[in-house]
Amino acid sequence: MMKVAAAATSLSLVAAAPYTPPTYTTPSNLTHPGLDILAKRAGLLYFGTAIDNVVLNNTAYVSIAHNVSEFGQATPSNGQKWMYIEPQQNVFNYSMADAIMKPAKEAGQMRRCHTFAWHSQLPDWVNNGNWTKETLTAVLENHIKNEAQYFKDDCYAWDVVNEAFEDDGSLRNSIWLQVMGPEYIELAFKWARQYTGNGTRLYYNDYGIERVNNKSLAVAEMAKDFIARDIPIDGVGLQAHFTVGRAPTYDEVSAALTLFDDLKLETALTELDVRILLPDSPEKQELQAEVYTNATKACVDVAECVGVTVWDFWDPVSWVPESFPGYGNACLLDDDLQRKPAYYAIEKMLDEVAKK
């Protein structure tokens, strides 16, 4: 994918040229062709969304979620996680994932698949098993094998390992690390390549790596080591769960993306949302629009960043209020499924880039 890369020389980086988005407090005068159409015109591969099973009975929501002009890529936000896919050992259930993957495929949307190995949302039988290194290794391989083969050729990309690092750059003390050791990460990537084949992009995915910091540098060093040892890795996903007032700048996101751009790895913003400390206000929505636009523009400008996925697009189904009490309104559409200033800001920026 050919785009203008942000300037950088090494893992220490030179930040990309600053971008200051204009303020958008009213709808643009575009005819709203759709964010995916505009993203493609601006040089991205897709603009996508996560979709959750809890609202699949809402026809208005579903019609937007699978509108390929708006969202050219779909990610099951929960349906492919371990607790739902393998709730009992060697008993696999793909119904939740299929409820999102099949309509996405029929609509012509790309699919990012999420996730094989993670410390969270594991069933009790995994968390509470009396494992040895040998037995847990077999469990992880069996899970990846079955899920990867079931969705073979259906996924543009897989988040193979999710959130394996702490903020200080050390490895997270998960059951995988405790029992299998650090090599569980490279084993997961080897099995993912073995069972998905060569056509699926294999990603490492994490939050808090949208700035150059201890965590993002540790991920970059792991990726560099994998490349040197021919461990299959194709990309790094920056989750991009942001907060108004504490979000990284355009320069910071650009620099973090460029860490992996320098390694010739594909990147994407995989779970973008921007939470607001409630009560909401027009001023906070304006700041939210700036954060959304900064992040998306950084992806547009860094050569190997292929796309942006929002972590759902409708405020009532956002994960934010439950996980961050007192915060909310993190998505692009409000309670009434109406576009918010952040939507219009992204829309206008993409349109302006495409016309240059």
Side-chain angles (χ1 to χ4, degrees):
M1 180 175 181
M2 298 302 295
K3 297 191 291 184
V4 178
T9 55
S10 70
L11 293 186
S12 60
L13 300 192
V14 176
Y19 171 73
T20 304
T23 297
Y24 304 114
T25 55
T26 58
S28 73
N29 59 2
L30 296 174
T31 56
H32 311 305
L35 294 180
D36 187 73
I37 287 176
L38 290 170
K40 286 182 169 70
R41 291 176 185 171
L44 296 180
L45 191 60
Y46 61 80
F47 194 99
T49 186
I51 303 173
D52 204 350
N53 296 75
V54 297
V55 281
L56 295 185
N57 60 348
N58 184 312
T59 56
Y61 170 90
V62 171
S63 67
I64 297 172
H66 292 300
N67 179 349
V68 72
S69 298
E70 200 74 85
F71 301 116
Q73 175 270 118
T75 300
S77 56
N78 282 296
Q80 290 175 318
K81 292 174 180 173
W82 197 312
M83 66 184 293
Y84 302 112
I85 292 291
E86 193 181 0
Q88 301 174 53
Q89 187 168 5
N90 213 33
V91 176
F92 291 87
N93 183 344
Y94 298 102
S95 59
M96 283 183 60
D98 282 343
I100 292 163
M101 292 287 287
K102 288 182 177 180
K105 190 172 184 179
E106 291 169 1
Q109 293 172 302
M110 301 172 65
R111 284 83 59 198
R112 291 194 82 261
C113 294
H114 175 81
T115 176
F116 286 138
W118 189 28
H119 67 277
S120 186
Q121 289 186 257
L122 293 170
D124 288 342
W125 70 265
V126 174
N127 280 324
N128 300 325
N130 186 22
W131 306 112
T132 64
K133 183 174 182 177
E134 181 180 16
T135 57
L136 190 60
T137 299
V139 162
L140 182 57
E141 180 179 8
N142 185 62
H143 179 83
I144 293 174
K145 175 183 178 180
N146 278 272
E147 188 169 15
Q149 290 183 335
Y150 183 85
F151 292 110
K152 197 173 183 70
D153 301 324
D154 281 341
C155 302
Y156 166 77
W158 262 106
D159 292 330
V160 177
V161 177
N162 196 46
E163 301 175 5
F165 286 87
E166 301 283 5
D167 289 346
D168 64 2
S170 63
L171 287 174
R172 183 183 295 277
N173 190 27
S174 66
I175 188 172
W176 310 114
L177 183 67
Q178 292 169 15
V179 180
M180 294 176 61
E183 61 267 32
Y184 87 86
I185 302 175
E186 65 183 78
L187 286 172
F189 277 90
K190 289 177 180 178
W191 293 326
R193 174 64 75 231
Q194 178 181 348
Y195 297 120
T196 63
N198 292 323
T200 301
R201 312 296 283 171
L202 305 183
Y203 271 66
Y204 175 80
N205 192 55
D206 214 329
Y207 67 90
I209 59 172
E210 302 85 8
R211 293 179 171 94
V212 177
N213 54 29
N214 289 336
K215 191 175 189 178
S216 60
L217 289 169
V219 174
E221 288 299 328
M222 177 192 73
K224 185 177 180 180
D225 172 61
F226 280 13
I227 293 166
R229 295 191 293 117
D230 292 323
I231 307 299
I233 183 170
D234 301 307
V236 175
L238 291 72
Q239 290 183 12
H241 293 296
F242 295 149
T243 306
V244 167
R246 300 201 299 271
T249 64
Y250 166 87
D251 285 350
E252 288 172 325
V253 178
S254 298
L257 287 168
T258 305
L259 278 176
F260 309 104
D261 196 78
D262 286 350
L263 298 175
K264 306 303 180 186
L265 286 173
E266 189 172 293
T267 54
L269 304 182
T270 56
E271 305 182 20
L272 177 62
D273 56 20
V274 183
R275 58 186 177 266
I276 289 173
L277 179 63
L278 302 175
D280 203 346
S281 68
E283 293 75 21
K284 291 178 182 179
Q285 288 200 23
E286 186 174 318
L287 292 171
Q288 180 187 58
E290 182 176 339
V291 174
Y292 264 109
T293 309
N294 281 341
T296 304
K297 183 65 162 56
C299 183
V300 169
D301 287 348
V302 175
E304 300 297 331
C305 190
V306 298
V308 175
T309 305
V310 292
W311 207 242
D312 226 305
F313 58 89
W314 189 31
D315 281 339
V317 294
S318 170
W319 73 300
V320 166
E322 182 178 353
S323 300
F324 299 94
Y327 288 83
N329 294 4
C331 300
L332 295 177
L333 271 61
D334 66 17
D335 289 3
D336 298 319
L337 287 170
Q338 298 300 304
R339 299 178 179 97
K340 294 161 62 173
Y343 179 101
Y344 296 116
I346 296 170
E347 178 185 56
K348 190 167 186 179
M349 178 274 293
L350 291 173
D351 185 61
E352 290 172 348
V353 170
K355 288 177 178 175
K356 288 183 178 179

